[in-house]
Amino acid sequence: MKKVYVNELKNHIDEEISFSGFVDTIRDKKWVMFVILRDSTGKVQMTIEKSDENNQKLLEIMSTISVESTIKVKCKVVSNEAVKLGGIELIPSEIEVTSLALNLPFDYNNLDGVNLDTRLDYRWLDIRNEKNMLVRQIESTLTEGMREFLYKNNFTEIHSPKLIGTASESGSSVFEVKYFNDKAYLAQSPQFYKQMALAAGLDRVFEVGPVFRAENSNTNRHATEFTGFDLEFSYIDSYEDVMSLEEDLLIAGLTKVKEKYGEKIKEIFGTEVVIPTKPFPRMKLKDLYQEMHDKYGFDIPEHDIGDMNAEAEKLTFKIAQEKFNSEFMFITDYAATKRPFYHMRDENGVLQGYDLIWRGTEITSGAQREHRYEKLVENANEKGLKDDVKFYLQFFKYGCPPHGGFGIGLDRLTMLLLGLTIKETQFIFRGPNRLNP
Ligand code: ATP
C-alpha cells in the first residue's frame, strides 16, 4: 500500500490505509495510549484503546520503542472532532517498527541554548525542528516559482561543469584541486558557460547549481560553497532589460512563496513577505554616496570607492525604504575597475551593469555583457587576464548575440526572506571552518 501523507489524510476518512512516519510523542494514559506521528507535511494522532483485547500486541510493540523511531502502521482513518490535531485520528490494526532511535543529543523542539555548531554537526536532527524544515520547503517553493517563470519565458535550463581547467575569473578566490597528474579548479560561477550557450544559439538559459568561493570570510552572509541561480539571455538592448527581467523573476518567486507560506512565515519567522512592484528604485553609485553622506554622514572608505561595502549596503536599505518605500534598490554606474572585464561599458567607459540590494544585503550582480570580440580582448588585457581567458574569448569570434544576465545567490535570497544567517539557511553549510557533515 502506498504511504498516505498527513496532509492527504482528510481525503481518506473511513478508509484502511498505510501510514509511515516518525514517532513524535507518546502519551501513555491509563485507558488509552496516544501516539503522535509525524511526516514532512504535519502531525497526526494515533489512538490505541487499552481495553480492546485485539490491541494488546500493538501496545506491547509500542512499549519497546522510543520517540523519534519510525514505524509503519496499517490503520483506519477516523474523523473525530475531539482530536485537536486536525480532527482526525488513526486507529491501527498492525504496527511495524522500521527503525529504532537512540536518545537524541539535544531537543530539536527547543533549540534555545543549543550551540549552532552542535546543531550543524547533527544537521539532520536540527532540521526535524519545524522552523528549520520550513526553511527547506520555502526555498524549494521560491525556486519553483522562479523556475516556472523562466520556463514560461522560453528559458532552457543548463548544467555546466564545476571542474574547470583554468582559474579564470579572478584567480584569488578559486579552489584548486588535484586532477590526476594535473590541476583543476572549482567553478566560481557558471558565467562563461552561460555565455557559451548563447553563442551556441540557445537564446535564453539558466542554471541553478553549486558555486565555489575560496574566501576566508566568516560573515553571516558568505559561504565557501553556495547555490547560484544564474541566467543569461540574448538580444537585449541594454542592461535595463536585464533589471526588468530580474524584477519579474523575483516577483514570481516571492508571489509563489507568499501564496503557499505567507501566513506561516509571519507566524514562525515573524516577518512579512512583501511582493515588490515594478520598477524597483534605481540609483547611480555616486548619487547614493552623496545621499549617504548628506543623510547619515557616511563616506565610503578610499579602497572601496567605485564599489559598495557592507555598511553602505545597510544604509542603502534605509534609503530604499525612506525615499522609495521599497525593500529593493538597484545600484548602477559602478567603477569599471571594480567589476569583471566581461561587463559592457558604454562609449564613456560607464559600466552597463548593476547590483541589487535587498533588505541591506547584495543579492545579485548583473550586466549587459561585452559581446564584441575586439572590445572584450581589450578589457581582458587591461585586467591582465588575456591568457587565462583564451578559451572564453573564442566564443565571440563566430557570431554571438548581444546579451546580458545576472547571478542571484539563492541562499542569500532565502536568508533575507526569513531573517536568518547563512549558516542557519543553507541545507549543509560550507565555510572556512566547516567541511562536515
Ligand atoms: P559579495 O560582495 O557579497 O561578497 P560578490 O560581489 O562576490 O558578493 P558575485 O560574484 O556578484 O558576488 O556573485 C553573485 C551573487 O552570489 C551575489 O550577489 C550574492 O548574492 C551571492 N554570493 C556571492 N558570494 C557569496 C558567498 N560567498 N556566499 C553566499 N552567497 C554569495
Side-chain angles (χ1 to χ4, degrees):
M1 248 195 276
K2 186 172 148 262
K3 170 181 160 48
V4 175
Y5 284 85
V6 171
N7 66 355
E8 300 167 332
L9 288 170
K10 56 182 181 303
N11 306 323
H12 295 273
I13 302 292
D14 293 333
E15 286 175 27
E16 279 284 330
I17 62 152
S18 167
F19 184 87
S20 296
F22 284 93
V23 174
D24 191 80
T25 326
I26 301 174
R27 273 187 287 137
D28 198 5
K29 305 279 187 194
K30 193 161 181 204
W31 304 109
V32 65
M33 180 185 272
F34 296 115
V35 181
I36 307 301
L37 299 174
R38 185 183 82 235
D39 66 23
S40 64
T41 68
K43 294 181 188 178
V44 64
Q45 174 177 304
M46 176 170 80
T47 309
I48 312 174
E49 290 289 347
K50 290 191 176 173
S51 57
D52 189 335
E53 265 310 303
N54 296 328
N55 283 347
Q56 297 318 306
K57 185 146 178 275
L58 305 182
L59 289 164
E60 212 172 280
I61 295 171
M62 287 310 296
S63 73
T64 65
I65 71 166
S66 47
V67 288
E68 297 304 312
S69 298
T70 64
I71 60 176
K72 179 177 181 181
V73 293
K74 210 167 132 195
C75 57
K76 190 167 178 189
V77 185
V78 174
S79 170
N80 178 352
E81 281 184 7
V83 177
K84 283 197 201 109
L85 269 177
I88 285 178
E89 63 185 340
L90 304 181
I91 308 297
S93 52
E94 282 173 29
I95 297 178
E96 180 192 339
V97 179
T98 47
S99 159
L100 206 53
L102 297 178
N103 268 344
L104 268 55
F106 55 81
D107 175 8
Y108 65 78
N109 280 313
N110 182 9
L111 293 170
D112 294 346
V114 183
N115 185 296
L116 182 57
D117 271 315
T118 308
R119 287 173 45 193
L120 296 185
D121 287 341
Y122 292 95
R123 187 59 163 159
W124 67 99
L125 301 181
D126 187 51
I127 290 176
R128 290 185 192 178
N129 177 286
E130 186 190 5
K131 182 174 175 179
N132 297 337
M133 182 160 299
L134 265 173
V135 177
R136 300 273 57 80
Q137 293 164 332
I138 291 166
E139 186 175 86
S140 172
T141 299
L142 179 65
T143 321
E144 183 189 352
M146 297 201 295
R147 271 207 168 96
E148 272 173 3
F149 169 83
L150 294 176
Y151 291 137
K152 257 190 238 150
N153 284 279
N154 299 319
F155 277 78
T156 302
E157 183 164 6
I158 58 168
H159 305 282
S160 64
K162 304 305 158 204
L163 273 174
I164 52 178
T166 48
S168 41
E169 284 185 59
S170 72
S172 64
S173 56
V174 182
F175 285 111
E176 188 180 300
V177 294
K178 193 169 163 347
Y179 195 72
F180 305 110
N181 293 324
D182 210 340
K183 276 189 230 166
Y185 305 90
L186 297 180
Q188 278 177 292
S189 86
Q191 185 58 38
F192 292 175
Y193 296 104
K194 284 189 295 178
Q195 293 184 263
M196 185 203 246
L198 304 193
L202 273 163
D203 282 344
R204 304 181 140 214
V205 298
F206 76 100
E207 173 162 4
V208 187
V211 172
F212 302 91
R213 301 279 168 99
E215 288 162 342
N216 200 353
S217 49
N218 291 292
T219 71
N220 60 14
R221 63 207 170 98
H222 286 96
T224 48
E225 177 177 351
F226 62 94
T227 302
F229 194 109
D230 273 85
L231 66 80
E232 211 76 22
F233 60 113
S234 303
Y235 305 115
I236 63 168
D237 293 322
S238 115
Y239 67 101
E240 281 286 343
D241 297 336
V242 183
M243 293 197 281
S244 171
L245 189 109
E246 179 158 16
E247 289 169 339
D248 290 331
L249 178 74
L250 289 169
I251 289 170
L254 291 173
T255 302
K256 187 105 192 168
V257 168
K258 188 167 181 128
E259 279 167 10
K260 194 162 176 190
Y261 291 110
E263 288 308 312
K264 273 252 177 242
I265 292 175
K266 208 185 297 173
E267 177 196 325
I268 292 185
F269 297 88
T271 163
E272 191 84 36
V273 182
V274 181
I275 309 297
T277 48
K278 278 186 87 165
F280 301 177
R282 293 139 161 74
M283 278 187 86
K284 292 188 168 144
L285 190 63
K286 78 170 174 10
D287 297 336
L288 191 64
Y289 284 173
Q290 190 64 50
E291 187 106 5
M292 292 193 284
H293 175 84
D294 295 347
K295 262 202 168 133
Y296 310 109
F298 172 82
D299 292 304
I300 195 90
E302 189 81 23
H303 60 271
D304 285 327
I305 289 179
D307 203 354
M308 293 282 283
N309 66 13
E311 195 177 350
E313 287 175 12
K314 296 265 168 309
L315 294 177
T316 299
F317 180 40
K318 277 189 156 188
I319 294 169
Q321 284 183 301
E322 287 165 12
K323 201 172 163 126
F324 302 102
N325 190 28
S326 169
E327 294 189 337
F328 290 89
M329 175 100 89
F330 282 118
I331 305 172
T332 64
D333 294 56
Y334 283 84
T337 50
K338 300 283 188 185
R339 298 272 124 166
F341 73 97
Y342 51 81
H343 284 197
M344 187 180 267
R345 306 162 193 184
D346 71 5
E347 58 282 7
N348 303 313
V350 178
L351 199 91
Q352 303 296 292
Y354 67 88
D355 272 7
L356 179 59
I357 312 290
W358 184 31
R359 297 182 171 174
T361 297
E362 179 201 317
I363 53 165
T364 306
S365 287
Q368 174 158 16
R369 317 299 187 186
E370 184 53 77
H371 66 286
R372 296 161 298 182
Y373 178 74
E374 307 298 336
K375 290 256 182 233
L376 200 54
V377 172
E378 213 175 279
N379 293 355
N381 274 341
E382 189 187 281
K383 303 238 178 205
L385 285 171
K386 196 177 163 213
D387 290 335
D388 294 330
V389 298
K390 233 184 213 149
F391 86 99
Y392 168 73
L393 295 172
Q394 302 294 321
F395 311 162
F396 303 87
K397 278 185 172 172
Y398 307 97
C400 180
H403 63 277
F406 55 83
I408 303 180
L410 182 63
D411 320 69
R412 288 236 182 128
L413 213 55
T414 310
M415 163 188 126
L416 295 165
L417 175 68
L418 303 176
L420 305 172
T421 63
I422 198 143
K423 279 192 185 177
E424 298 167 305
T425 306
Q426 286 197 311
F427 170 44
I428 306 292
F429 173 71
R430 280 287 173 269
N433 301 315
R434 186 165 278 278
L435 266 176
N436 287 303

Short mmCIF file of all heavy atoms in Angstrom, two decimals, residues 213 215 217 221-224 226 313 339 355 362-365 407-412 422 426, ligand 1:
data_model
loop_
_atom_site.label_atom_id
_atom_site.label_comp_id
_atom_site.label_asym_id
_atom_site.label_seq_id
_atom_site.Cartn_x
_atom_site.Cartn_y
_atom_site.Cartn_z
N ARG A 213 33.65 29.52 -3.71
CA ARG A 213 34.45 30.73 -3.49
C ARG A 213 35.44 30.47 -2.35
O ARG A 213 35.01 30.22 -1.22
CB ARG A 213 33.56 31.92 -3.08
CG ARG A 213 32.49 32.28 -4.09
CD ARG A 213 33.04 33.12 -5.22
NE ARG A 213 32.08 33.23 -6.31
CZ ARG A 213 31.27 34.26 -6.51
NH1 ARG A 213 31.30 35.29 -5.69
NH2 ARG A 213 30.45 34.28 -7.52
N GLU A 215 36.92 32.12 -0.26
CA GLU A 215 37.03 33.36 0.51
C GLU A 215 37.06 32.99 1.98
O GLU A 215 36.14 32.34 2.48
CB GLU A 215 35.79 34.25 0.28
CG GLU A 215 35.75 34.88 -1.09
CD GLU A 215 34.35 35.37 -1.44
OE1 GLU A 215 33.36 34.96 -0.81
OE2 GLU A 215 34.26 36.18 -2.38
N SER A 217 36.19 34.22 4.64
CA SER A 217 35.45 35.24 5.37
C SER A 217 34.38 34.60 6.24
O SER A 217 33.62 33.76 5.77
CB SER A 217 34.84 36.25 4.41
OG SER A 217 34.16 35.59 3.38
N ARG A 221 26.89 36.11 5.88
CA ARG A 221 26.30 36.02 4.53
C ARG A 221 27.23 35.40 3.49
O ARG A 221 26.92 35.40 2.30
CB ARG A 221 25.82 37.39 4.08
CG ARG A 221 26.93 38.40 3.95
CD ARG A 221 26.44 39.82 4.16
NE ARG A 221 27.57 40.69 4.26
CZ ARG A 221 28.05 41.41 3.26
NH1 ARG A 221 27.46 41.39 2.09
NH2 ARG A 221 29.12 42.14 3.43
N HIS A 222 28.39 34.93 3.92
CA HIS A 222 29.32 34.29 2.98
C HIS A 222 29.50 32.82 3.30
O HIS A 222 29.69 32.45 4.46
CB HIS A 222 30.70 34.96 3.02
CG HIS A 222 30.72 36.30 2.37
ND1 HIS A 222 30.58 37.47 3.07
CD2 HIS A 222 30.87 36.66 1.06
CE1 HIS A 222 30.63 38.50 2.22
NE2 HIS A 222 30.80 38.04 1.00
N ALA A 223 29.49 32.00 2.26
CA ALA A 223 29.80 30.59 2.39
C ALA A 223 30.85 30.27 1.35
O ALA A 223 31.02 31.01 0.38
CB ALA A 223 28.54 29.76 2.15
N THR A 224 31.58 29.18 1.52
CA THR A 224 32.59 28.83 0.52
C THR A 224 31.97 28.04 -0.64
O THR A 224 32.54 27.94 -1.71
CB THR A 224 33.73 28.01 1.15
OG1 THR A 224 33.15 26.98 1.94
CG2 THR A 224 34.62 28.88 2.02
N PHE A 226 27.98 27.79 -2.32
CA PHE A 226 26.57 28.16 -2.22
C PHE A 226 25.88 27.83 -3.53
O PHE A 226 26.50 27.32 -4.46
CB PHE A 226 26.41 29.64 -1.83
CG PHE A 226 26.98 30.63 -2.83
CD1 PHE A 226 26.18 31.21 -3.81
CD2 PHE A 226 28.31 31.01 -2.77
CE1 PHE A 226 26.68 32.13 -4.72
CE2 PHE A 226 28.83 31.93 -3.68
CZ PHE A 226 28.01 32.49 -4.66
N GLU A 313 25.73 48.95 2.13
CA GLU A 313 24.55 48.15 1.75
C GLU A 313 23.43 48.33 2.78
O GLU A 313 22.26 48.44 2.43
CB GLU A 313 24.92 46.67 1.61
CG GLU A 313 25.74 46.39 0.35
CD GLU A 313 26.24 44.96 0.22
OE1 GLU A 313 25.79 44.08 0.98
OE2 GLU A 313 27.10 44.70 -0.65
N ARG A 339 34.85 45.91 -11.42
CA ARG A 339 33.94 44.91 -11.98
C ARG A 339 34.65 43.99 -12.97
O ARG A 339 35.68 44.36 -13.52
CB ARG A 339 32.79 45.62 -12.71
CG ARG A 339 31.96 46.48 -11.82
CD ARG A 339 30.86 45.69 -11.18
NE ARG A 339 30.88 45.75 -9.75
CZ ARG A 339 29.87 45.37 -8.98
NH1 ARG A 339 28.77 44.90 -9.52
NH2 ARG A 339 29.95 45.43 -7.67
N ASP A 355 24.12 46.17 -9.27
CA ASP A 355 23.93 45.23 -8.17
C ASP A 355 22.53 45.46 -7.64
O ASP A 355 22.01 46.58 -7.74
CB ASP A 355 24.92 45.50 -7.02
CG ASP A 355 26.24 44.74 -7.21
OD1 ASP A 355 26.43 44.12 -8.28
OD2 ASP A 355 27.06 44.79 -6.29
N GLU A 362 23.59 42.62 -0.61
CA GLU A 362 23.62 42.37 -2.05
C GLU A 362 23.10 40.97 -2.35
O GLU A 362 23.54 40.00 -1.74
CB GLU A 362 25.07 42.49 -2.54
CG GLU A 362 25.20 42.23 -4.03
CD GLU A 362 26.62 41.85 -4.45
OE1 GLU A 362 27.57 42.46 -3.96
OE2 GLU A 362 26.73 40.93 -5.27
N ILE A 363 22.18 40.88 -3.30
CA ILE A 363 21.71 39.55 -3.70
C ILE A 363 22.10 39.21 -5.14
O ILE A 363 22.07 38.05 -5.53
CB ILE A 363 20.18 39.37 -3.53
CG1 ILE A 363 19.39 40.47 -4.25
CG2 ILE A 363 19.82 39.32 -2.07
CD1 ILE A 363 17.91 40.12 -4.42
N THR A 364 22.46 40.22 -5.92
CA THR A 364 22.73 39.97 -7.34
C THR A 364 23.75 40.94 -7.91
O THR A 364 23.75 42.11 -7.55
CB THR A 364 21.47 40.26 -8.20
OG1 THR A 364 20.40 39.53 -7.70
CG2 THR A 364 21.69 39.91 -9.64
N SER A 365 24.57 40.43 -8.84
CA SER A 365 25.28 41.31 -9.77
C SER A 365 24.77 40.96 -11.16
O SER A 365 24.66 39.78 -11.49
CB SER A 365 26.78 41.04 -9.74
OG SER A 365 27.31 41.54 -8.55
N GLY A 407 23.46 36.82 -11.69
CA GLY A 407 23.55 35.69 -10.78
C GLY A 407 23.00 36.08 -9.44
O GLY A 407 23.39 37.10 -8.86
N ILE A 408 22.04 35.29 -8.97
CA ILE A 408 21.48 35.54 -7.63
C ILE A 408 22.05 34.48 -6.70
O ILE A 408 22.14 33.31 -7.08
CB ILE A 408 19.94 35.38 -7.63
CG1 ILE A 408 19.28 36.31 -8.64
CG2 ILE A 408 19.38 35.62 -6.23
CD1 ILE A 408 17.76 36.19 -8.68
N GLY A 409 22.44 34.87 -5.51
CA GLY A 409 22.81 33.88 -4.50
C GLY A 409 21.53 33.37 -3.87
O GLY A 409 20.86 34.10 -3.15
N LEU A 410 21.18 32.11 -4.19
CA LEU A 410 19.89 31.58 -3.71
C LEU A 410 19.84 31.53 -2.19
O LEU A 410 18.82 31.86 -1.57
CB LEU A 410 19.65 30.19 -4.30
CG LEU A 410 18.32 29.54 -3.94
CD1 LEU A 410 17.14 30.34 -4.46
CD2 LEU A 410 18.26 28.12 -4.46
N ASP A 411 20.95 31.15 -1.57
CA ASP A 411 21.00 31.06 -0.11
C ASP A 411 20.75 32.43 0.51
O ASP A 411 20.08 32.57 1.53
CB ASP A 411 22.37 30.55 0.36
CG ASP A 411 22.89 29.46 -0.54
OD1 ASP A 411 23.24 29.77 -1.70
OD2 ASP A 411 22.94 28.32 -0.11
N ARG A 412 21.34 33.44 -0.13
CA ARG A 412 21.14 34.81 0.37
C ARG A 412 19.68 35.22 0.27
O ARG A 412 19.15 35.89 1.15
CB ARG A 412 21.96 35.80 -0.46
CG ARG A 412 23.42 35.71 -0.18
CD ARG A 412 23.98 37.06 0.24
NE ARG A 412 25.40 36.91 0.44
CZ ARG A 412 26.32 37.68 -0.11
NH1 ARG A 412 25.94 38.69 -0.89
NH2 ARG A 412 27.59 37.48 0.13
N ILE A 422 23.40 32.93 7.08
CA ILE A 422 23.63 31.93 6.03
C ILE A 422 23.85 30.54 6.62
O ILE A 422 23.41 29.54 6.03
CB ILE A 422 24.76 32.37 5.08
CG1 ILE A 422 24.66 31.56 3.78
CG2 ILE A 422 26.14 32.22 5.70
CD1 ILE A 422 25.01 32.31 2.56
N GLN A 426 21.55 27.56 4.84
CA GLN A 426 21.98 26.52 3.90
C GLN A 426 21.61 25.15 4.43
O GLN A 426 21.69 24.90 5.64
CB GLN A 426 23.51 26.57 3.72
CG GLN A 426 23.96 27.75 2.89
CD GLN A 426 25.37 27.57 2.38
OE1 GLN A 426 26.28 27.25 3.14
NE2 GLN A 426 25.56 27.81 1.11
P1 ATP B 1 29.85 39.94 -2.03
O1 ATP B 1 30.31 41.32 -2.42
O2 ATP B 1 28.64 39.95 -1.16
O3 ATP B 1 30.95 39.08 -1.50
P2 ATP B 1 30.19 39.21 -4.80
O4 ATP B 1 30.25 40.57 -5.37
O5 ATP B 1 31.44 38.42 -4.63
O6 ATP B 1 29.38 39.25 -3.38
P3 ATP B 1 29.06 37.96 -7.14
O7 ATP B 1 30.35 37.40 -7.54
O8 ATP B 1 28.47 39.06 -7.90
O9 ATP B 1 29.12 38.37 -5.59
O10 ATP B 1 28.02 36.75 -7.00
C1 ATP B 1 26.63 36.84 -7.31
C2 ATP B 1 25.77 36.66 -6.08
O11 ATP B 1 26.12 35.49 -5.37
C3 ATP B 1 25.92 37.75 -5.03
O12 ATP B 1 25.12 38.85 -5.31
C4 ATP B 1 25.46 37.06 -3.79
O13 ATP B 1 24.04 37.01 -3.72
C5 ATP B 1 25.95 35.66 -3.98
N1 ATP B 1 27.22 35.42 -3.28
C6 ATP B 1 28.45 35.86 -3.62
N2 ATP B 1 29.40 35.40 -2.80
C7 ATP B 1 28.76 34.61 -1.90
C8 ATP B 1 29.19 33.82 -0.82
N3 ATP B 1 30.49 33.72 -0.50
N4 ATP B 1 28.26 33.13 -0.12
C9 ATP B 1 26.95 33.20 -0.46
N5 ATP B 1 26.48 33.92 -1.48
C10 ATP B 1 27.36 34.63 -2.20
#
